[in-house]
Amino acid sequence: GTLSDELKQALGMPSEGVPMPPPWLINMQRYGPPPSYPNLKIPGLNAPIPTGAQFGYHPGGWGKPPVDEFGRPIYGDVFGAGDAAPNMDDGPIERDHWGDIKEEEVEEEEETVE
């Protein structure tokens, strides 16, 4: 999503000039993206950072991109390479209520007459 100018001002992020990261980006890089939104693209986490921005922990820095031991992004295409995006297609989404009790089919035993 895109942050509104009012929200950026409330968070102390300038709306002009070099884009500032949201304050929660460092924690998302540490703990991962929100599980409720698996397809949400977050710059600096699973999408490239804006033009003119830099990774780092300096004021205005976009943290450190989460990578594995081989330097590949963990959550998506954070470097803008285009080929590191994970396959998010896990098949059809089950739309049943998780708390519904499913009825079991009861098989009636057939009595044999001898």
Side-chain angles (χ1 to χ4, degrees), residues 94 96-105:
E94 186 176 326
D96 296 335
H97 296 283
W98 65 269
D100 288 348
I101 299 174
K102 296 181 181 179
E103 295 183 23
E104 296 181 17
E105 294 182 18

Side-chain angles (χ1 to χ4, degrees), residues 28-109:
M28 283 187 172
Q29 288 174 342
R30 181 178 299 151
Y31 301 114
S36 300
Y37 301 97
N39 296 323
L40 179 66
K41 297 297 178 194
I42 303 166
L45 180 68
N46 58 5
I49 59 176
T51 305
Q54 294 179 339
F55 284 111
Y57 293 107
H58 57 279
W62 287 71
K64 181 181 176 190
V67 294
D68 63 8
E69 62 269 11
F70 301 109
R72 295 179 302 218
I74 295 174
Y75 302 119
D77 188 17
V78 73
F79 298 117
D83 61 349
N87 184 7
M88 299 304 283
D89 184 24
D90 293 334
I93 298 173
E94 186 176 326
R95 301 280 183 190
D96 296 335
H97 296 283
W98 65 269
D100 288 348
I101 299 174
K102 296 181 181 179
E103 295 183 23
E104 296 181 17
E105 294 182 18
V106 179
E107 295 182 20
E108 295 183 18
E109 295 182 21

